[in-house]
Amino acid sequence: MNIPDPSHAAKTSPAGSGRKRSQEATRAAQAAALQLAYDLGPERVTMEAIAGHSGVAKTTLYRRWNSAAAVVMDAFLSELTPQIAYRTGQDVRQTLVFALEDLSAALDAPRRKLLRHMIAAAQSCSVLEQAFWDRWIAPMRQAGKEALEQFGVSPEAAELTLDLLYGAFYYRMLIPYAPITNTWIREIVDQVS
């Protein structure tokens, strides 16, 4: 999945300064934000706390991100994105199985718990809701549509397929009444594709 780097960490500082932004500061801020989110829940993470735990000045944080939610989401995605890139299979079914199996494997128990917290917090925090959409859902949907359209699936059918599969996946993740197994993933893909 090709998710653009939402942290903008690789960009240079505003014109005229001639200094590149420190990758070390970005990594420190993301690591602190992610640890705070695991420890406290994402809705309780503040820029002050990230600055205090990372040693990165609050002004530096605000130059790179507009909210603590954005830092948490960037940190989460920096950790997760390489593991969930869409792999093209031999056909639509195999591509979908790869996508869901890779997502399931990447979402180990602590990440699933954090993602559940982020989804819950997004219901009452518009900043986190927007960060969640911009940095997680929209890019994943776009990558999924592109992956399916390679096989001649119409944009409308691709959207419906993604809704059905990821809806089932997130339902089982949010209300963990049964495990998400590779067998279940293959069965659900067979029902939908």
Side-chain angles (χ1 to χ4, degrees), residues 94-167:
Q94 188 177 46
T95 300
L96 292 169
V97 167
F98 283 165
L100 292 175
E101 286 180 349
D102 291 348
L103 180 59
S104 179
L107 289 172
D108 60 15
R111 286 185 186 136
R112 281 185 194 198
K113 183 177 180 183
L114 178 58
L115 185 55
R116 283 195 298 266
H117 280 282
M118 286 194 291
I119 291 169
Q123 305 313 300
S124 59
C125 174
S126 62
V127 173
L128 186 55
E129 178 183 25
Q130 193 62 51
F132 194 84
W133 173 257
D134 291 342
R135 293 171 171 86
W136 175 262
I137 300 298
M140 277 192 73
R141 285 184 66 78
Q142 184 59 37
K145 284 169 44 180
E146 289 171 5
L148 296 181
E149 288 170 9
Q150 290 180 61
F151 294 102
V153 177
S154 73
E156 298 79 15
E159 290 226 7
L160 182 58
T161 298
L162 295 173
D163 284 343
L164 292 169
L165 290 175
Y166 284 96

Side-chain angles (χ1 to χ4, degrees), residues 52-70:
H53 283 78
S54 69
V56 176
K58 202 160 66 163
T59 54
T60 300
L61 295 175
Y62 277 111
R63 277 196 301 268
R64 297 174 194 196
W65 298 281
N66 63 2
S67 67

